[in-house]
Amino acid sequence: MKKFILLLFASFLFASVCNKSSINSAYKDYYKFQQQYISAILDNDKQNEIKALKGLVECGEFLKFNVSDYKQKLSKLTKKQKLKTKINTSKAKPDITPSNKHEKFSKYIKIYSYNPLKLKIPNNNIRFFTIKTKIYKKIIDLPNAIIHKAISKKLNNGIYLKIAQFNKKTVRIVYYSKNKFTIRYTLKNHILTITVNSPKKHTIKSVLAQKPKAYKPKSKVIVIDPGHGGKDAGGVGIKNRYEKIAVLQISKYLKNYLTKKGYTVYLTRNSDYFIPLKKRTHFANLKKADLFISIHCNIAPKHNRRIHGIETYFLSPTRNERAIAVARLENKEIKGLNYLDQRVILNFLNRDRMIDSNKLAIDIQQGMLSSLKTKYNYVRDNGVRPAPFWVLVGTQMPAILIETGYLTNPIESSRLFTSKYQRLLAKGIAEGIENYFRKNP
Ligand SMILES: [Zn+2]
């Protein structure tokens, strides 16, 4: 019996709890567990490793991350633990999983169709309003709701639909078009149905004016970091295309867009010369930058010509093999510090900054995709990923690294060297940055 009480105590002690009261709190816990996990591996502490893995799986599943690697590792470790337990006692462990899981998940909205838009929402209070800027916008806010991922659709007659998490508690539905249009909605038993009528002569009167959070672009400093340069060509792709050339051109366009919007912008290099990685981050810290944006082009493993797409990385310890492979490629300049040592440094990173970097990465990725898709097909979203990039370590502000495309893919590599494509990429990044500041002034 004494053994049983001890065991009970031990399971409470090692029970990992993920705070699932909001996406933000779950994010914070996820990164906390990620750091715990790395420490546990470095210390070879199996108990803490299990505890961290449980937390990662719990938070990760809540955040809809792919946690299959963590799960596998956890089941291997717990099998070993169970064997040990059986030797000690035959009593089973008590089930201490919280029973309110279902409640938390009901905040998620469920979409049945897009045109007409039919969805299940958590409560019957919605806010509807109209905005006329250069384009016509109809906005519906769903309070106390969560959506897994942002949705962007082109409907008929040049009307676009976007559904995304607007802030911690609100999901925002936006219809927009260059031409006037109207929408009608019905709401019954948590089922919201929205029909679009287009184009019509009259618009529904604004019932609530949008109150955008005030921020002054002029007060924001952005450092753009064109990767590589000089003796370091970066990736070399099809037809001997150098990464260092394309990224400098994209960075210069980006600087123009951001300057026009009123930001203060610096480039870590403005022509073809070499700068060591740590000087780039030092420069950003010196300029007291609010954001650090590092721009790169990718090379596929074994120069596979079929792989293509855009990825945005934010700084984080990671176990994703593909992200690690990219990080190694970008980090090859670092000598004398082995991979494990790099992980130790990453372990001490500021968690809140990682969360901001993650948010920034999401907005920029979305910005690039929307911008490119206005003129190009064959635009692939490879998503936002965590990666321990060296160039991002040491910055004191949210920092991200964009892989703008693969120089080993015939279509993407030639696009990356045309000014039209470079400009659209830059425009998308600039819009992503603006969106980020709008939400996080
Ligand atoms: Zn690079």
Side-chain angles (χ1 to χ4, degrees), residues 226-228 232-235 243-244 247 294-299 326 329-331 389 401-403:
H228 315 278
D232 172 15
E243 176 182 356
K244 64 173 184 176
V247 296
S294 194
I295 297 187
H296 293 256
C297 302
N298 219 335
I299 297 288
V326 178
L329 208 69
E330 297 296 350
N331 288 342
F389 282 109
L401 187 147
I402 306 169
E403 291 289 0

Short mmCIF file of all heavy atoms in Angstrom, two decimals, residues 226-228 232-235 243-244 247 294-299 326 329-331 389 401-403, ligand 1:
data_model
loop_
_atom_site.label_atom_id
_atom_site.label_comp_id
_atom_site.label_asym_id
_atom_site.label_seq_id
_atom_site.Cartn_x
_atom_site.Cartn_y
_atom_site.Cartn_z
N PRO A 226 19.73 39.84 -46.48
CA PRO A 226 19.88 38.99 -47.67
C PRO A 226 20.96 37.94 -47.37
O PRO A 226 22.09 38.30 -47.07
CB PRO A 226 20.35 39.95 -48.76
CG PRO A 226 20.25 41.33 -48.16
CD PRO A 226 20.30 41.18 -46.68
N GLY A 227 20.62 36.67 -47.45
CA GLY A 227 21.53 35.60 -47.05
C GLY A 227 22.82 35.58 -47.88
O GLY A 227 22.84 36.03 -49.02
N HIS A 228 23.89 35.07 -47.25
CA HIS A 228 25.16 34.80 -47.94
C HIS A 228 25.79 36.08 -48.54
O HIS A 228 25.58 37.15 -48.01
CB HIS A 228 24.96 33.70 -48.98
CG HIS A 228 24.15 32.56 -48.43
ND1 HIS A 228 24.70 31.56 -47.67
CD2 HIS A 228 22.81 32.31 -48.47
CE1 HIS A 228 23.73 30.73 -47.28
NE2 HIS A 228 22.58 31.16 -47.75
N ASP A 232 30.71 33.53 -50.23
CA ASP A 232 29.67 32.54 -49.92
C ASP A 232 28.49 32.74 -50.86
O ASP A 232 27.69 33.65 -50.69
CB ASP A 232 29.24 32.71 -48.45
CG ASP A 232 28.04 31.86 -48.07
OD1 ASP A 232 27.70 30.93 -48.84
OD2 ASP A 232 27.44 32.12 -47.02
N ALA A 233 28.39 31.87 -51.88
CA ALA A 233 27.33 32.02 -52.89
C ALA A 233 25.99 31.53 -52.38
O ALA A 233 24.96 31.81 -52.96
CB ALA A 233 27.70 31.24 -54.16
N GLY A 234 26.00 30.81 -51.26
CA GLY A 234 24.77 30.17 -50.80
C GLY A 234 24.49 28.96 -51.67
O GLY A 234 25.42 28.33 -52.17
N GLY A 235 23.23 28.65 -51.90
CA GLY A 235 22.89 27.52 -52.76
C GLY A 235 23.18 27.85 -54.21
O GLY A 235 23.03 28.98 -54.65
N GLU A 243 22.19 31.69 -55.09
CA GLU A 243 21.24 32.17 -54.08
C GLU A 243 21.53 33.62 -53.70
O GLU A 243 20.63 34.44 -53.58
CB GLU A 243 21.33 31.27 -52.83
CG GLU A 243 20.45 31.72 -51.68
CD GLU A 243 20.59 30.85 -50.43
OE1 GLU A 243 21.31 29.83 -50.48
OE2 GLU A 243 19.97 31.19 -49.41
N LYS A 244 22.81 33.96 -53.51
CA LYS A 244 23.18 35.29 -53.01
C LYS A 244 22.68 36.41 -53.92
O LYS A 244 22.41 37.51 -53.45
CB LYS A 244 24.70 35.39 -52.83
CG LYS A 244 25.50 35.28 -54.13
CD LYS A 244 26.97 35.56 -53.91
CE LYS A 244 27.74 35.54 -55.23
NZ LYS A 244 29.15 35.90 -55.07
N VAL A 247 18.48 36.63 -53.58
CA VAL A 247 18.01 37.12 -52.28
C VAL A 247 18.32 38.62 -52.10
O VAL A 247 17.55 39.33 -51.45
CB VAL A 247 18.58 36.29 -51.09
CG1 VAL A 247 18.07 34.86 -51.16
CG2 VAL A 247 20.09 36.33 -51.02
N SER A 294 15.38 37.34 -42.47
CA SER A 294 16.49 36.79 -43.24
C SER A 294 15.93 36.10 -44.49
O SER A 294 15.01 35.29 -44.39
CB SER A 294 17.27 35.80 -42.37
OG SER A 294 18.51 35.51 -42.97
N ILE A 295 16.49 36.45 -45.66
CA ILE A 295 15.91 35.95 -46.91
C ILE A 295 16.86 34.99 -47.63
O ILE A 295 18.04 35.30 -47.82
CB ILE A 295 15.50 37.14 -47.81
CG1 ILE A 295 14.41 37.91 -47.05
CG2 ILE A 295 15.02 36.66 -49.17
CD1 ILE A 295 13.77 39.00 -47.80
N HIS A 296 16.33 33.84 -48.00
CA HIS A 296 17.14 32.77 -48.60
C HIS A 296 16.41 32.06 -49.73
O HIS A 296 15.20 32.24 -49.91
CB HIS A 296 17.49 31.73 -47.52
CG HIS A 296 18.41 32.27 -46.48
ND1 HIS A 296 19.74 31.96 -46.43
CD2 HIS A 296 18.19 33.14 -45.46
CE1 HIS A 296 20.31 32.61 -45.42
NE2 HIS A 296 19.38 33.33 -44.81
N CYS A 297 17.17 31.24 -50.49
CA CYS A 297 16.56 30.31 -51.44
C CYS A 297 17.03 28.91 -51.05
O CYS A 297 18.13 28.74 -50.54
CB CYS A 297 17.01 30.58 -52.87
SG CYS A 297 16.64 32.24 -53.44
N ASN A 298 16.22 27.93 -51.37
CA ASN A 298 16.49 26.58 -50.91
C ASN A 298 17.12 25.70 -51.99
O ASN A 298 17.03 26.00 -53.19
CB ASN A 298 15.18 25.94 -50.43
CG ASN A 298 15.38 25.10 -49.20
OD1 ASN A 298 16.49 24.62 -48.95
ND2 ASN A 298 14.33 24.92 -48.43
N ILE A 299 17.75 24.62 -51.54
CA ILE A 299 18.31 23.59 -52.43
C ILE A 299 17.72 22.26 -51.96
O ILE A 299 17.79 21.95 -50.77
CB ILE A 299 19.86 23.54 -52.32
CG1 ILE A 299 20.49 24.86 -52.77
CG2 ILE A 299 20.44 22.35 -53.08
CD1 ILE A 299 20.45 25.12 -54.26
N VAL A 326 17.59 21.58 -43.28
CA VAL A 326 17.69 22.93 -43.85
C VAL A 326 18.57 23.79 -42.96
O VAL A 326 19.42 24.54 -43.42
CB VAL A 326 16.29 23.57 -44.01
CG1 VAL A 326 16.42 24.98 -44.56
CG2 VAL A 326 15.43 22.74 -44.94
N LEU A 329 22.20 23.20 -43.53
CA LEU A 329 22.65 23.80 -44.78
C LEU A 329 22.93 25.28 -44.58
O LEU A 329 23.94 25.80 -45.02
CB LEU A 329 21.54 23.61 -45.82
CG LEU A 329 21.94 23.55 -47.28
CD1 LEU A 329 22.72 22.28 -47.56
CD2 LEU A 329 20.68 23.58 -48.15
N GLU A 330 22.01 25.96 -43.88
CA GLU A 330 22.16 27.40 -43.67
C GLU A 330 23.23 27.69 -42.62
O GLU A 330 23.74 28.78 -42.55
CB GLU A 330 20.83 28.03 -43.25
CG GLU A 330 19.73 27.93 -44.29
CD GLU A 330 20.04 28.68 -45.57
OE1 GLU A 330 21.03 29.44 -45.59
OE2 GLU A 330 19.31 28.49 -46.56
N ASN A 331 23.53 26.72 -41.78
CA ASN A 331 24.46 26.94 -40.68
C ASN A 331 25.88 26.51 -41.00
O ASN A 331 26.73 26.52 -40.13
CB ASN A 331 24.01 26.16 -39.44
CG ASN A 331 22.78 26.79 -38.80
OD1 ASN A 331 22.48 27.94 -39.06
ND2 ASN A 331 22.09 26.03 -37.99
N PHE A 389 17.93 27.93 -36.69
CA PHE A 389 18.88 28.59 -37.58
C PHE A 389 19.85 29.45 -36.79
O PHE A 389 19.44 30.24 -35.95
CB PHE A 389 18.16 29.50 -38.58
CG PHE A 389 17.56 28.74 -39.70
CD1 PHE A 389 16.20 28.61 -39.79
CD2 PHE A 389 18.36 28.15 -40.65
CE1 PHE A 389 15.63 27.90 -40.82
CE2 PHE A 389 17.80 27.45 -41.69
CZ PHE A 389 16.43 27.32 -41.77
N LEU A 401 13.25 33.36 -40.89
CA LEU A 401 14.05 33.09 -42.09
C LEU A 401 13.11 32.56 -43.16
O LEU A 401 12.35 31.62 -42.92
CB LEU A 401 15.15 32.08 -41.76
CG LEU A 401 16.18 31.81 -42.86
CD1 LEU A 401 17.54 31.51 -42.25
CD2 LEU A 401 15.77 30.69 -43.79
N ILE A 402 13.14 33.21 -44.33
CA ILE A 402 12.24 32.80 -45.41
C ILE A 402 13.04 32.03 -46.46
O ILE A 402 14.06 32.51 -46.94
CB ILE A 402 11.58 34.03 -46.09
CG1 ILE A 402 10.89 34.91 -45.05
CG2 ILE A 402 10.60 33.58 -47.16
CD1 ILE A 402 10.44 36.26 -45.60
N GLU A 403 12.55 30.85 -46.80
CA GLU A 403 13.09 30.11 -47.94
C GLU A 403 12.12 30.40 -49.08
O GLU A 403 11.04 29.83 -49.15
CB GLU A 403 13.17 28.61 -47.65
CG GLU A 403 14.22 28.22 -46.62
CD GLU A 403 15.66 28.35 -47.11
OE1 GLU A 403 15.87 28.74 -48.28
OE2 GLU A 403 16.58 28.08 -46.31
ZN ZN B 1 20.66 30.47 -47.67
#
